[in-house]
Amino acid sequence: MKSTMILLFLVVSIMRGQNLIPEVEALLEKMTLEEKIGQLNLLTPGGGIATGSVVSKNVETKIKTGKVGGIFGVSGPDRVRIAQEFAVNNTRLKIPLLIGADVIHGYKTTYPIPLGLSCSWDMDLIEQAAQMAAKEATADGINWNFSPMVDIARDPRWGRIAEGAGEDPYLGAKVAEAMVKGYQQNDLSASNTMLACVKHLALYGAPEAGRDYHTVDMGKVKMFNQYLPPYKAAIDAGVASVMTSFNDIDGVPASGNKWLLTELLRNRWGFNGLVISDYTSVNEMIAHGLGDLQAVSALSLKAGLHMDMVGEGFLTTLRKSVKEDKVTEAEITHACRKVLEAKYKSGLFEDPFRYLDTDRPKKDILTAENRALARKLAAHSFVLLKNHDNILPIKKDAKLALVGPLADSRNNMLGTWAPTGDPNLAVTILEGFKNVASGARITYAKGANISDDPEFAKKINVFGPRISIDKRSSEELLQEALAVAKTSNVVVAVVGEATEMSGEAASRTDISIPDSQKKLIRELVATGKPVVLVLMSGRPLTIPEEFDLPVAILQVWHPGVEAGNAIADVVFGDYNPSGKLTTTWPRNMGQIPIYHSVKNTGRPAPKDKFEKFKSNYLDVDNTPLISFGYGLSYTTFEYSNLTLNKKNIMQGESVDITVTVENTGNYDGEEIVQLYLRDLVRTITPPIRQLKGFKKVFLKKGERRTVNLELTPDDLKFYNGSLEFVSEPGEFEVFVGTDSNASLKKSFVLK
């Protein structure tokens, strides 16, 4: 009779579109309420990969008593096997554990921070990067990755801008899709793929004042058009899980927000996977003012949250809430089902130890092939911001002064949120220069501290030494660097941020280069020698002074384990830089937030002049210092012959676009051709222009090519005031060029 009821339930559920898994449903029938609640508990035992301030207690006992559904912060086949054996050998139903980790930009073979990686605009490379990370992480026993982070960020004061793909929803959606495909591939049960987890749903990248974990205030039209597309792209790409954010949305924290987790995520977007909280975010709803632990845990479960990370509110309160009719067992069963389905899709029920081959780490981790890819990824992420007098590339037999606090700083190469990486394995810039340009005469001097402030250094050095304040005085460091510079033909100064000056809980109100380094830069330029600034950071910086100097500036972000080799590849011309910015760089802090897809006002300011009673500043121009999409090359490109295949189209039709691009310089190189669209008249105010396409092309010097782009029907659509995804008849303008200031323009009309 019982099996008949299960079969009937499955048939009804499938008819309702739930696509239930028979093996999971059979297991649920056997489970007690306590066993179901146990599956909703995600813990970290500590002592491994540090990603937060709270460490779970008595994890081994809790696993053995069926009170844990998954763990994170543990790696290595032997260690993971011990934890997995606790679950499958000691619990009544032998349910295996999910093993998670934050693999943000590579596992052991770290590559550039996500913001840097996005500047490659190369979706194939980005997918390869994620695929490599999955291969390495699964070799170490991990089957679930808390990545990609796809939060749109337009305030560079926010430290976690380093973890995302920048400011643009179109590009961000493409990156989200590529990352999910890379991690998951076509078979989640394969031993070299892992469950991806898109985060942080939602709007985490728009905190007030740029301060991490802070409140977010945003209307739904802006939300749907500008901030939600990358999350939806990850859902459409089949991402297995979703992580909630710390902030509130319309006054309700994300982990307990039913509109977000049920109405939007499930009902509107059709997501049918696992939803987990961020680190103790359920408990933090108490501080938000929504009640005690029992109240916020019940609120979260009913909202659509399935798994509680570290906080243990589900574990300790849900049984009581069932007794008091604050939640139902059916709601707990639904959440448990999603946890079990994730384990089933990972192949853990078939073989709990499928990711625990002790031969794999030495075969799959930090291989020569992986390091070569990391080096390539890094070189493709660099953005040439300025090249005064074509200082770059430098000849490999140059007499070169390499200076700066980051030039020989192994601990600052990996970047923020690289908890699985080993800084000791990183290649410094000094080492990379010697590797690539063995014929160069290189002398090194530190020149300055990253910061001279010991209190600031303490805040940065939580995860190890990132800012080391030299025993020598600042003046001694400076004079040593100047002496080295004066005996050289060219100076390369490696300056910027330490790795933990960006990232989680690393918001800054001043995002300029620290004063200790600014002085070094000024003095180096005053020597009259050609100066290259290799700028390292996890965010856009305010560099108006440095940008005005007669220097070359190569933005390298934090490049990862192959940092020094990749930087040398570009500086010495083995690779022609092709990266383009995915964030707008402000002139000063007062312009923030500033981004390319801004809307017009009723009183737009005229270009290049101040006019009273118009939308401008008294003290600075409206335009950014450096625009979105910007990036130079050692060669030059010219655009011409922009054509559209139609001047008038009907609803549902596409527009084919062609443009001629010619390499007019002296080097072979890659160009990222960018397509922007303006909707001139519509029922809600449109942005001045929006990115709607791009293509990366390689051209030999002197080569000319016709590049094809396309505007699809969806590219013309937007979410209107009723949150309907529509396109409206009217005139559109198309812009194609090398950055968001593209000037080639054509028009068409949608009937």
Side-chain angles (χ1 to χ4, degrees):
M1 180 66 179
K2 190 173 185 180
S3 60
T4 303
M5 292 298 293
I6 294 173
L7 180 60
L8 180 60
F9 174 73
L10 287 172
V11 171
V12 172
S13 298
I14 291 169
M15 289 176 65
R16 291 176 177 173
Q18 295 185 41
N19 297 320
L20 300 179
I21 300 169
E23 292 87 344
V24 169
E25 298 308 312
L27 182 57
L28 283 169
E29 284 292 317
K30 301 174 185 177
M31 296 177 73
T32 65
L33 177 61
E34 289 80 4
E35 287 169 329
K36 292 174 184 176
I37 293 172
Q39 288 297 306
L40 314 186
N41 195 26
L42 177 61
L43 301 183
T44 180
I49 304 165
T51 59
S53 60
V54 178
V55 175
S56 309
K57 298 177 181 179
N58 304 317
V59 175
E60 178 181 338
T61 300
K62 288 171 182 172
I63 293 173
K64 289 180 177 179
T65 53
K67 295 179 179 178
V68 181
I71 60 173
F72 65 99
V74 175
S75 61
D78 293 334
R79 293 190 67 204
V80 173
R81 180 175 289 275
I82 292 170
Q84 200 67 280
E85 285 179 345
F86 288 158
V88 299
N89 294 338
N90 292 278
T91 59
R92 184 176 73 92
L93 296 174
K94 305 183 184 304
I95 300 173
L97 299 169
L98 286 170
I99 309 295
D102 285 282
V103 185
I104 307 302
H105 49 111
Y107 184 62
K108 296 294 185 184
T109 308
T110 52
Y111 44 78
I113 58 171
L115 182 60
L117 191 62
S118 71
C119 291
S120 72
W121 296 59
D122 192 322
M123 299 308 117
D124 290 337
L125 268 184
I126 290 172
E127 183 175 338
Q128 288 176 44
Q131 189 173 357
M132 176 181 72
K135 186 176 182 179
E136 287 201 347
T138 54
D140 238 3
I142 294 161
N143 50 55
W144 187 16
N145 187 13
F146 307 137
S147 173
M149 194 205 91
V150 302
D151 299 308
I152 295 297
R154 294 171 172 177
D155 190 334
R157 294 174 298 178
W158 186 57
R160 297 194 82 169
I161 194 172
E163 288 182 60
E167 71 183 45
D168 187 79
Y170 181 89
L171 180 65
K174 296 296 184 185
V175 172
E177 179 184 12
M179 294 294 285
V180 170
K181 287 181 177 178
Y183 292 138
Q184 297 189 166
Q185 294 296 293
N186 298 317
D187 182 4
L188 281 172
S189 66
S191 61
N192 62 350
T193 66
M194 60 200 310
L195 301 169
C197 182
V198 66
K199 63 185 188 183
H200 307 82
L201 194 69
L203 316 182
Y204 184 37
E208 290 185 354
R211 179 156 51 88
D212 211 354
Y213 317 121
H214 203 13
T215 190
V216 173
D217 188 10
M218 186 183 299
K220 286 191 170 63
V221 169
K222 182 176 183 180
M223 194 186 302
F224 272 73
N225 283 302
Q226 301 180 38
Y227 281 81
L228 294 182
Y231 307 112
K232 186 176 186 299
I235 302 304
D236 292 343
V239 73
S241 60
V242 171
M243 183 185 291
T244 59
S245 56
F246 291 111
N247 54 280
D248 61 336
I249 298 164
D250 283 342
V252 182
S255 294
N257 193 308
K258 188 170 185 177
W259 174 83
L260 180 71
L261 302 185
T262 297
E263 293 179 31
L264 177 69
L265 182 60
R266 295 203 172 276
N267 297 344
R268 184 166 186 143
W269 289 351
F271 179 68
N272 198 35
L274 174 62
V275 182
I276 66 165
S277 74
D278 206 339
Y279 211 113
T280 66
S281 66
V282 173
N283 307 59
E284 291 165 27
M285 290 168 63
I286 301 170
H288 276 284
L290 271 74
D292 61 15
L293 185 58
Q294 182 183 359
V296 298
S297 297
L299 179 65
S300 296
L301 182 78
K302 295 182 81 68
L305 190 74
H306 305 137
M307 210 170 193
D308 176 17
M309 183 186 287
V310 177
E312 301 192 38
F314 282 6
L315 185 71
T316 58
T317 70
L318 286 186
R319 181 172 178 80
K320 182 181 179 184
S321 291
V322 171
K323 289 182 178 179
E324 295 174 357
D325 293 326
K326 293 178 179 176
V327 301
T328 66
E329 183 169 353
E331 289 167 330
I332 293 171
T333 300
H334 173 75
C336 182
R337 175 180 292 114
K338 295 305 167 187
V339 176
L340 297 179
E341 285 177 348
K343 295 178 179 184
Y344 179 86
K345 292 172 184 175
S346 293
L348 290 172
F349 285 122
E350 181 182 353
D351 179 7
F353 308 106
R354 70 188 314 119
Y355 299 93
L356 305 180
D357 181 348
T358 54
D359 291 331
R360 279 193 62 197
K362 61 187 176 186
K363 292 191 301 183
D364 291 344
I365 295 176
L366 279 166
T367 63
E369 179 185 10
N370 289 357
R371 293 194 74 131
L373 178 57
R375 183 172 178 170
K376 180 179 181 180
L377 292 165
H380 280 69
S381 74
F382 302 158
V383 184
L384 183 60
L385 300 180
K386 187 174 182 180
N387 197 12
H388 178 76
D389 281 348
N390 293 317
I391 300 171
L392 290 172
I394 296 172
K395 292 182 178 179
K396 290 185 179 180
D397 61 354
K399 190 176 182 182
L400 184 149
L402 180 62
V403 302
L406 290 161
D408 193 30
S409 178
R410 202 176 307 279
N411 285 332
N412 283 299
M413 296 301 100
L414 300 191
T416 185
W417 266 118
T420 57
D422 183 354
N424 293 317
L425 300 176
V427 179
T428 69
I429 289 93
L430 178 58
E431 290 169 342
F433 275 31
K434 291 179 178 179
N435 293 339
V436 171
S438 57
R441 290 160 290 172
I442 301 169
T443 51
Y444 161 75
K446 184 176 179 181
N449 298 311
I450 294 173
S451 170
D452 290 332
D453 183 349
E455 291 302 314
F456 183 69
K458 285 182 183 178
K459 297 175 184 177
I460 303 306
N461 293 341
V462 172
F463 294 127
R466 303 293 187 262
I467 295 179
S468 60
I469 298 180
D470 207 284
K471 293 180 180 179
R472 294 170 291 174
S473 70
S474 298
E475 188 61 27
E476 287 177 288
L477 292 173
L478 176 61
Q479 291 305 319
E480 181 188 30
L482 294 178
V484 167
K486 288 173 183 176
T487 61
S488 302
N489 300 127
V490 62
V491 179
V492 176
V494 189
V495 295
E497 291 187 315
T499 60
E500 300 309 322
M501 286 172 67
S502 62
E504 186 167 357
S507 298
R508 295 176 62 197
T509 62
D510 180 358
I511 57 171
S512 61
I513 297 171
D515 288 340
S516 56
Q517 299 178 69
K518 290 175 79 72
K519 182 178 180 181
L520 171 64
I521 294 167
R522 287 193 295 267
E523 294 291 336
L524 289 172
V525 172
T527 66
K529 301 289 184 178
V531 175
V532 175
L533 301 183
V534 172
L535 188 55
M536 191 172 287
S537 71
R539 53 160 58 87
L541 300 176
T542 50
I543 57 167
E545 177 187 355
E546 292 76 19
F547 201 73
D548 282 344
L549 294 173
V551 297
I553 304 176
L554 181 67
Q555 171 65 24
V556 300
W557 314 105
H558 288 112
V561 72
E562 284 289 316
N565 288 331
I567 291 169
D569 286 340
V570 173
V571 166
F572 293 105
D574 287 346
Y575 179 72
N576 186 352
S578 61
K580 303 275 190 176
L581 294 178
T582 56
T583 48
T584 301
W585 286 44
R587 295 179 183 274
N588 60 35
M589 296 292 296
Q591 285 188 316
I592 295 171
I594 185 168
Y595 49 96
H596 77 94
S597 57
V598 67
K599 295 182 177 182
N600 227 334
T601 78
R603 295 186 178 187
K607 284 188 176 182
D608 304 323
K609 69 175 183 176
F610 173 84
E611 186 175 324
K612 192 69 173 176
F613 304 117
K614 296 293 184 180
S615 182
N616 39 217
Y617 297 105
L618 291 172
D619 56 346
V620 73
D621 193 77
N622 284 3
T623 59
L625 181 70
I626 314 174
S627 298
F628 174 88
Y630 175 91
L632 300 177
S633 168
Y634 295 154
T635 192
T636 54
F637 298 96
E638 287 187 4
Y639 288 70
S640 62
N641 301 325
L642 176 63
T643 61
L644 310 183
N645 70 325
K646 297 175 184 176
K647 292 185 178 180
N648 297 281
I649 66 169
M650 304 302 293
Q651 290 281 352
E653 291 184 340
S654 297
V655 180
D656 294 327
I657 300 158
T658 59
V659 66
T660 300
V661 183
E662 182 177 3
N663 183 341
T664 54
N666 297 319
Y667 296 86
D668 299 344
E670 292 168 292
E671 170 69 341
I672 300 167
V673 181
Q674 299 166 41
L675 166 65
Y676 295 86
L677 181 71
R678 183 179 184 187
D679 189 346
L680 269 66
V681 178
R682 69 184 195 189
T683 53
I684 62 171
T685 53
I688 293 175
R689 59 176 67 180
Q690 297 173 276
L691 180 71
K692 289 296 181 182
F694 57 89
K695 185 170 287 187
K696 193 168 190 175
V697 294
F698 175 81
L699 296 173
K700 293 183 178 181
K701 61 180 181 180
E703 183 181 0
R704 178 185 297 179
R705 183 181 302 178
T706 298
V707 177
N708 298 295
L709 300 161
E710 182 187 27
L711 282 170
T712 69
D714 277 358
D715 291 330
L716 309 185
K717 292 182 177 180
F718 64 96
Y719 290 94
N720 64 16
S722 301
L723 301 183
E724 300 164 322
F725 193 48
V726 299
S727 56
E728 295 175 344
E731 186 178 0
F732 292 80
E733 291 178 340
V734 173
F735 303 85
V736 177
T738 190
D739 59 32
S740 56
N741 294 316
S743 57
L744 281 182
K745 182 176 74 172
K746 291 286 184 179
S747 300
F748 68 92
V749 174
L750 174 64
K751 297 291 188 179

